[in-house]
């Protein structure tokens, strides 16, 4: 490829509305251009990178035994109603009508469509197992699309689905896909972790997320320094304190806190550690009013709270409901002597506390020296309600937890029979009996990987692509080609030789000044740069510089080709 025949439009200006490095650099390098909120055009340069990722994903899916197909992006309402997701999926589902007023959705995912395909195509156990995949545009109507293609409304995704006669065979395929995902991210040159995850809106049982590690990641990952354990903080278990609850040493007393409504303010007023306070969350769940208790220095995990038996899809209580059950305003609430009987759900750490401070259910007051069994009944329910934190013991009993930031780029699920049962997808087994299919679902955000890779690989000059993702591996830069035919000819010859050797190369023959040309190559992130100049020709050398190096080297032809030779697996 010659850049004189390619569209490359870089910019020195940093876009004002771009918050993340990936968004800024993709715009400056000219990889994407915004068309509407969360919707981007991929330029020829951006598409080259996208296709690199897509090729690796496709190869590894095929290696794992999946067969490629392509499903419609526009999906009829009737399919989504069969699974109950037409309403449940929420505002992210973009709905539209055709000229006959029939309703459709622009597919955010394809469980319904692929299950419909399976129920019409599969009739016998002899056709199983079957794994299929597609690489296709999806659309999710994000409330606030941001960060460029990191959280766009339209995006490119690889989604795969597998069908099985038994749960055991589904489990086998799940780990087959898990291994394939590991190979994909290793080949792309990314630092990543696979973590236990919540199944979310997709549903099912077992689930793992694959995260590219980056400081800008939206997700927090808990991982053990003594084992392979890793989990999204949403799912990572916070173990109960190993030590037994201490004995009470203080008497119960009421303390005046006229303006102190938060645990932080109360702790500061009383001169005690925040960990000795307890915050009270007033909720209304499936069985009525509930008071959830959390240690003052801990963060609530809403997903864990939602899983507490009997609570389910909860909401925060209104001020009227709080006053009715507790007799006080928010900020002064607690489990001691409520106005009406209520259920108390305590986090494991709270259940192990003694001599703690909590709201007095009286405006302007808190209670200190509170102890279970003496001042209030033992909590009706004790559960893991908080986010795991750095320094917590690992749930597998090996080492302690550390917290890292990650960008989710892949997710694998064991869906079980959820969709097949709802849509009547069955096959006949060996005895001729109809059996509901077991399903797996495996997604990778192809376009998101591009942004995640930049978050992990950039510097002040621009992008630093892993070689497998770079638009070209090598850039041959020509100094003053229009005025020096010998240099131009030498550059053409080198470019042709590199291409013949199977080295993906671009020739920068635009005739730019060296500073601008080199800045473009660094911004775009080409891993290897070779400069052809009159001085180099005189010395029989080329000026070589790796994108990750601070200095250039003068290399003779043989040494240069040895340096640039494609790496073998």
């Amino acid at each position: 490829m010659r850049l004189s025949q390619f569209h490359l439009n870089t910019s020195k200006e940093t876009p004002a509305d771009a918050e993340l490095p990936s968004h800024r650099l993709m715009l400056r390098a000219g990889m994407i251009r915004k068309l509407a909120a969360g919707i981007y055009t991929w330029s020829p340069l951006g598409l080259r990178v996208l296709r690199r990722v897509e090729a690796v994903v496709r190869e590894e899916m095929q290696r794992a035994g999946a067969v490629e197909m392509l499903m419609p992006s526009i999906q009829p309402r009737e399919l989504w109603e069969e699974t109950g997701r037409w309403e449940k999926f929420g505002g992210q589902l973009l709905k539209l009508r055709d000229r006959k007023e029939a309703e459709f959705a622009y597919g955010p995912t394809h469980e319904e469509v692929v299950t419909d395909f399976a129920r019409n195509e599969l009739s016998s156990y002899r056709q199983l197992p079957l794994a299929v995949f597609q690489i296709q545009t999806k659309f999710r109507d994000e409330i606030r699309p941001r960060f460029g293609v990191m959280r766009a409304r339209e995006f490119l995704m690889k989604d795969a689905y597998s069908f099985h006669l038994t749960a055991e065979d589904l489990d086998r395929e799940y780990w087959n896909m898990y291994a394939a995902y590991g190979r994909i991210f290793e080949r792309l040159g990314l630092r990543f972790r696979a973590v236990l995850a919540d199944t979310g809106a997709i549903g099912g049982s077992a689930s793992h997320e694959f995260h590219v590690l980056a400081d800008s990641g939206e997700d927090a990952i808990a991982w053990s320094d003594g084992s392979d354990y890793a989990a999204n903080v949403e799912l990572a278990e916070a173990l109960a304190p190993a030590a037994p609850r201490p004995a009470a040493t203080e008497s119960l007393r009421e303390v005046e806190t006229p303006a102190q409504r938060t645990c932080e303010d109360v702790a500061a007023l009383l001169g005690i550690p925040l960990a000795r306070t307890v915050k009270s969350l007033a909720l209304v769940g499936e069985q009525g009013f509930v008071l959830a208790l959390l240690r003052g220095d801990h963060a609530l995990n809403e997903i864990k709270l939602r899983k507490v038996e009997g609570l389910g899809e909860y909401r925060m209580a209104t001020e009227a409901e709080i006053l009715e059950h507790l007799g006080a305003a928010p900020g002064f609430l607690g489990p001691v002597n409520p106005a009406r009987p209520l259920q108390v759900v305590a986090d494991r750490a709270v259940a192990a506390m003694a001599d703690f401070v909590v709201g007095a259910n009286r405006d302007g007051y808190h209670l200190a020296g509170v102890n279970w069994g003496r001042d209030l009944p033992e909590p009706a329910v004790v559960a893991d309600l908080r986010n795991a934190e750095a320094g917590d013991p690992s749930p597998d009993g090996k080492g302690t937890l550390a917290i890292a930031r990650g960008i989710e780029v892949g997710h694998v699920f064991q869906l079980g029979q959820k969709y097949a049962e709802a849509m009547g997808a069955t096959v006949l087994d060996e005895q001729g009996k109809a059996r509901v299919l077991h399903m797996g679902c495996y997604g990778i955000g192809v376009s998101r990987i591009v942004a995640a890779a930049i978050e992990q690989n950039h510097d002040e000059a621009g992008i630093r692509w892993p070689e497998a993702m770079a638009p070209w591996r090598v850039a041959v830069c020509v100094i003053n080609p229009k005025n020096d035919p010998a240099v131009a000819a030498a550059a053409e010859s080198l470019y042709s030789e590199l291409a013949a050797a199977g080295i993906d190369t671009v020739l920068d023959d635009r005739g730019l000044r060296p500073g601008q040309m080199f800045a473009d190559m660094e911004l775009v992130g080409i891993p290897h740069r070779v400069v052809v100049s009159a001085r180099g020709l005189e010395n029989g050398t080329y000026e070589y510089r790796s994108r990750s190096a601070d200095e250039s080297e003068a290399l003779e032809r043989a040494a240069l080709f040895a340096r640039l030779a494609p790496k073998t697996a």
Side-chain angles (χ1 to χ4, degrees):
M1 177 65 67
R2 291 172 170 80
L3 283 185
S4 61
Q5 300 172 353
F6 188 83
H7 177 74
L8 181 64
N9 185 17
T10 61
S11 172
K12 294 181 181 179
E13 302 299 322
T14 300
D17 61 343
E19 301 175 53
L20 292 185
S22 60
H23 192 190
R24 293 195 296 269
L25 291 171
M26 290 181 79
L27 289 171
R28 285 191 56 213
M31 293 178 62
I32 57 172
R33 292 292 182 254
K34 182 178 177 180
L35 180 65
I39 302 175
Y40 290 86
T41 296
W42 288 76
S43 74
L45 178 70
L47 187 62
R48 286 187 70 88
V49 178
L50 200 61
R51 290 291 184 254
R52 300 282 192 209
V53 177
E54 188 178 320
V56 171
V57 170
R58 178 175 283 109
E59 288 171 11
E60 290 300 336
M61 283 295 99
Q62 293 171 341
R63 179 181 171 187
V67 183
E68 189 167 8
M69 66 183 301
L70 185 62
M71 291 174 275
S73 57
I74 303 299
Q75 307 176 14
R77 171 177 179 163
E78 291 76 15
L79 284 183
W80 284 73
E81 286 188 327
E82 287 188 58
T83 60
R85 292 208 299 174
W86 182 257
E87 298 298 337
K88 283 184 180 179
F89 207 87
Q92 285 191 340
L93 187 64
L94 180 65
K95 301 174 182 178
L96 55 155
R97 296 174 185 265
D98 67 10
R99 66 180 67 196
K100 296 180 180 179
E101 293 299 310
E103 292 188 87
F104 295 86
Y106 192 131
T109 184
H110 275 69
E111 283 79 21
E112 283 81 1
V113 176
V114 79
T115 306
D116 179 70
F117 175 82
R119 69 181 173 184
N120 289 301
E121 292 288 320
L122 305 178
S123 58
S124 168
Y125 73 94
R126 293 186 179 89
Q127 296 170 281
L128 301 175
L130 173 67
V132 296
F133 78 97
Q134 66 172 351
I135 299 176
Q136 192 212 53
T137 299
K138 300 282 196 291
F139 191 96
R140 296 182 185 177
D141 200 3
E142 295 275 356
I143 295 176
R144 192 166 70 91
R146 59 196 188 280
F147 307 148
V149 300
M150 188 75 76
R151 188 166 290 282
R153 293 193 295 166
E154 183 182 78
F155 53 94
L156 188 66
M157 181 178 178
K158 185 283 301 178
D159 47 325
Y161 307 89
S162 63
F163 301 91
H164 310 269
L165 187 66
T166 66
E168 291 75 19
D169 194 57
L170 167 60
D171 188 64
R172 174 201 58 78
E173 182 63 14
Y174 180 85
W175 293 108
N176 176 44
M177 287 293 174
Y178 180 97
Y181 275 36
R183 294 194 299 269
I184 287 169
F185 298 120
E186 286 170 3
R187 283 185 59 184
L188 292 174
L190 300 173
R191 300 187 304 279
F192 72 97
R193 278 191 179 273
V195 303
L196 293 168
D198 186 71
T199 55
I202 301 296
S205 52
S207 174
H208 282 83
E209 292 172 352
F210 288 76
H211 287 259
V212 168
L213 302 180
D215 292 339
S216 58
E218 289 186 284
D219 295 304
I221 301 165
W223 57 278
S224 172
D225 61 6
S227 69
D228 292 334
Y229 176 85
N232 193 305
V233 166
E234 294 175 344
L235 194 68
E237 183 181 7
L239 299 178
R245 180 195 296 164
T249 61
E250 298 180 9
S251 59
L252 179 68
R253 61 196 184 279
E254 193 175 66
V255 293
E256 190 172 1
T257 54
Q260 288 72 31
R261 291 174 173 267
T262 68
C263 288
E264 289 80 2
D265 290 343
V266 171
L269 177 70
L270 300 181
I272 61 173
L274 185 58
R276 285 190 56 195
T277 66
V278 171
K279 48 191 166 189
S280 303
L281 306 172
L283 315 167
V284 177
E286 294 173 352
Q287 298 180 8
F289 193 91
V290 175
L291 198 65
L293 305 180
L294 202 69
R295 209 171 76 183
D297 61 331
H298 286 160
L300 174 69
N301 186 308
E302 294 183 3
I303 290 177
K304 292 179 179 180
L305 183 61
R306 199 172 292 120
K307 292 179 179 179
V308 172
E309 187 175 354
L311 190 59
E313 289 298 326
Y314 67 87
R315 62 173 174 81
M316 302 305 294
T318 65
E319 289 195 17
E321 290 168 331
I322 292 172
L323 187 62
E324 177 187 353
H325 286 84
L326 298 172
F332 304 103
L333 309 180
V336 181
N337 296 323
R340 293 183 59 181
L342 51 78
Q343 181 182 4
V344 172
V345 177
D347 179 69
R348 291 168 172 173
V350 173
M353 292 176 70
D355 297 331
F356 56 89
V357 175
V358 73
N361 292 325
R362 179 184 173 198
D363 290 356
Y365 290 89
H366 278 71
L367 295 176
V370 179
N371 284 273
W372 296 105
R374 186 193 71 183
D375 306 314
L376 74 169
E378 295 289 342
V381 177
V382 176
D384 176 17
L385 301 181
R386 70 175 177 93
N387 283 338
E389 296 180 344
D392 285 347
S394 177
D396 65 357
K398 301 175 182 177
T400 58
L401 294 181
I403 306 296
R405 305 301 301 182
I407 301 167
E408 183 190 344
V409 291
H411 208 153
V412 293
F413 301 86
Q414 288 192 33
L415 295 176
Q417 296 177 304
K418 174 181 176 178
Y419 293 92
E421 193 165 35
M423 298 182 68
T426 64
V427 296
L428 298 179
D429 63 15
E430 293 185 43
Q431 286 74 43
K433 181 180 178 182
R435 299 271 296 275
V436 176
L437 290 167
H438 293 260
M439 291 176 58
C441 171
Y442 321 95
I444 281 182
V446 177
S447 52
R448 200 171 212 227
I449 286 174
V450 176
I454 297 172
E455 291 297 323
Q456 194 178 79
N457 300 277
H458 71 275
D459 58 21
E460 292 182 358
I463 303 167
R464 295 172 59 173
W465 290 116
E467 291 201 14
M469 295 181 62
W472 300 279
R473 284 190 65 235
V474 180
V476 173
C477 298
V478 194
I479 303 297
N480 199 19
K482 294 180 180 178
N483 298 320
D484 196 330
V487 169
E492 285 282 352
S493 176
L494 177 62
Y495 167 63
S496 298
E497 288 182 81
L498 289 169
I503 300 170
D504 191 19
T505 306
V506 64
L507 177 64
D508 194 343
D509 58 347
R510 295 175 294 168
L512 301 180
R513 292 180 180 276
Q516 183 180 352
M517 181 166 48
F518 298 162
D520 274 356
M521 293 305 99
E522 290 186 329
L523 174 60
V524 169
I526 309 303
H528 307 278
R529 185 184 79 201
V530 181
V531 179
V532 182
S533 65
R535 181 184 299 177
L537 290 182
E538 289 177 8
N539 297 326
T541 61
Y542 302 96
E543 181 185 304
Y544 166 78
R545 183 172 177 179
S546 166
R547 180 64 181 82
S548 60
D550 295 327
E551 301 292 338
S552 299
E553 306 173 60
L555 299 179
E556 295 181 349
R557 182 187 178 283
L560 177 67
F561 273 74
R563 186 73 60 90
L564 298 178
K567 296 178 181 178
T568 57

